[in-house]
Amino acid sequence: MNRIFNAAKIFVTAMFLCGIIFIGGKASAADIDAEAMEIFRETIIQTAGQDDRVFHQDIFFVVPRFTGELEFLGATEKDTFNMNGSFELWIVDENGKDEHIVKPFYITQDKKNMVVYFQDEKNKWKKMTSPVAAANVVDMVATPNAAELDKMVEFVKDVTVLQDGEKSRTLLVKIDGAKIIDAIKAELAKDPEFQKQKNDEMTNTIFSYIETGFRDSDIWYTWTVDKVNWQTTTMSFNLSSLPQTIAAAALRDSSNPFLSVDEVREMLETVAFYSEFKGYTTFLNADAKARLEIPKKVLKAKEIESFTDNDKSKKK
């Protein structure tokens, strides 16, 4: 079970890092339309200086009889990143019975630490501190310098200018999934927790499916910018091909022992052929940051070592 959990953490981390790339607007290009690329480059440079960003994020994962939604309000300001949101599940069993699960959370961080506040299965608030996660995320959401702006062209496969008027601009940006997974692997290589798992056979197998998924996926997002103040107004992304190609990679692996289990094969087939994974981002004004304040009862949460540690608090 621990090996399955460790492998799942890699998948969640990969999805999270990929999502941050979209939210932060870090992307770029190779052999694409030169004029479109210059417009894209100008848009990145003009919006990169906007340190004070507040956004509302909705991410949906849908398969038959199951819907998951990650919804949160987030804010970046220089080297800080804060979130207030919830994870919801809607499940319909074989008898048609509905189950609705809601798990709220808060995340606050600076350069040194990321603190995650969440509810356990008994709806009691817990918190976990992660210096490694804070370092990785702060680096990705922080305002890029000149060298980082140059690196942004490495992630984009194609750019299409959908509209470009006096007051707004909308771009369709296709991402190179192979370069995204290479970047994710580089980040994971810095994480001691993931390095401890590198010799685990199941973890490596599942990560190989994830890597195949990224390399075979068609990933894109649309991006609308207010050209008056160079603030992003909306972004939407479609990552549906990621879970589809990851599940397909698992189905093609004849050595996968879990394929002999009917429920597992059915689940993989459902994800491979019917799943959707999409997100929508709306950027808000600075007043929305007031909603990010963490309630006092949540700040008093018991601190634990990991998400699987529900019994023992951290020893001081």
Side-chain angles (χ1 to χ4, degrees):
M1 182 59 69
N2 286 337
R3 292 192 300 167
I4 295 176
F5 178 74
N6 289 338
K9 285 199 298 184
I10 288 181
F11 177 72
V12 172
T13 300
M15 295 298 101
F16 180 72
L17 291 175
C18 192
I20 289 297
I21 287 170
F22 287 108
I23 294 170
K26 292 193 173 182
S28 36
D31 299 326
I32 63 176
D33 181 87
E35 182 178 356
M37 186 57 206
E38 282 306 310
I39 291 174
F40 176 71
R41 188 191 300 273
E42 177 195 31
T43 308
I44 286 183
I45 292 173
Q46 293 288 354
T47 58
Q50 306 296 339
D51 284 331
D52 194 1
R53 289 171 286 167
V54 187
F55 57 91
H56 178 265
Q57 180 72 52
D58 260 311
I59 300 175
F60 295 93
F61 180 72
V62 182
V63 294
R65 303 206 331 246
F66 176 92
T67 300
E69 178 187 9
L70 176 63
E71 183 268 341
F72 60 87
L73 189 72
T76 62
E77 186 174 4
K78 296 189 183 298
D79 294 324
T80 66
F81 180 57
N82 300 293
M83 295 168 57
N84 168 8
S86 64
F87 180 66
E88 295 190 57
L89 295 176
W90 291 265
I91 305 169
V92 180
D93 66 18
E94 294 181 353
N95 297 317
K97 182 180 178 181
D98 293 327
E99 183 177 8
H100 181 206
I101 301 170
V102 182
K103 291 296 181 182
F105 66 87
Y106 295 87
I107 296 177
T108 181
Q109 71 165 77
D110 52 26
K111 284 186 177 180
K112 295 182 180 179
N113 288 308
M114 172 186 285
V115 182
V116 181
Y117 300 86
F118 66 99
Q119 288 186 338
D120 63 15
E121 70 277 2
K122 297 180 180 179
N123 295 327
K124 292 184 177 180
W125 283 100
K126 302 290 179 67
K127 69 177 180 180
M128 188 180 73
T129 302
S130 175
V132 172
N136 287 340
V137 176
V138 164
D139 180 63
M140 285 184 288
V141 301
T143 301
N145 57 35
E148 290 171 333
L149 285 170
D150 288 338
K151 290 181 181 178
M152 289 180 184
V153 280
E154 297 172 2
F155 287 139
V156 170
K157 186 179 288 187
D158 191 21
V159 176
T160 301
V161 180
L162 298 180
Q163 72 88 16
D164 194 11
E166 292 184 6
K167 295 184 178 180
S168 68
R169 172 180 294 168
T170 301
L171 306 175
L172 173 65
V173 184
K174 293 184 179 180
I175 301 297
D176 190 327
K179 291 180 180 178
I180 292 290
I181 193 62
D182 287 340
I184 290 172
K185 288 172 68 176
E187 289 299 322
L188 293 179
K190 303 174 187 177
D191 189 336
E193 278 298 313
F194 287 113
Q195 289 308 300
K196 293 177 184 178
Q197 304 167 28
K198 65 182 181 181
N199 294 323
D200 182 88
E201 183 178 356
M202 179 179 291
T203 299
N204 288 332
T205 298
I206 293 178
F207 188 80
S208 72
Y209 302 153
I210 294 172
E211 182 170 359
T212 298
F214 270 87
R215 297 192 186 282
D216 293 348
S217 290
D218 183 17
I219 306 170
W220 57 266
Y221 68 92
T222 56
W223 181 18
T224 298
V225 174
D226 183 337
K227 292 173 64 176
V228 176
N229 55 21
W230 290 106
Q231 289 274 6
T232 296
T233 55
T234 55
M235 296 180 74
S236 65
F237 53 90
N238 189 334
L239 305 177
S240 296
S241 63
L242 272 175
Q244 292 170 2
T245 52
I246 290 169
L251 286 170
R252 290 195 301 267
D253 183 5
S254 58
S255 65
N256 185 346
F258 295 105
L259 292 181
S260 61
V261 181
D262 291 341
E263 290 81 358
V264 174
R265 176 177 286 278
E266 181 182 352
M267 180 270 293
L268 289 173
E269 289 175 346
T270 300
V271 173
F273 304 133
Y274 301 106
S275 63
E276 294 185 13
F277 186 19
K278 299 178 180 179
Y280 190 82
T281 313
T282 304
F283 285 74
L284 311 173
N285 60 48
D287 293 340
K289 286 198 294 185
R291 289 185 52 209
L292 290 169
E293 184 176 350
I294 303 176
K296 291 182 180 179
K297 67 176 182 179
V298 177
L299 290 172
K300 295 178 181 179
K302 177 187 291 186
E303 188 160 7
I304 59 175
E305 296 282 358
S306 70
F307 289 117
T308 55
D309 177 10
N310 290 319
D311 298 315
K312 296 181 180 179
S313 60
K314 244 183 174 181
K315 294 181 179 179
K316 305 294 182 183

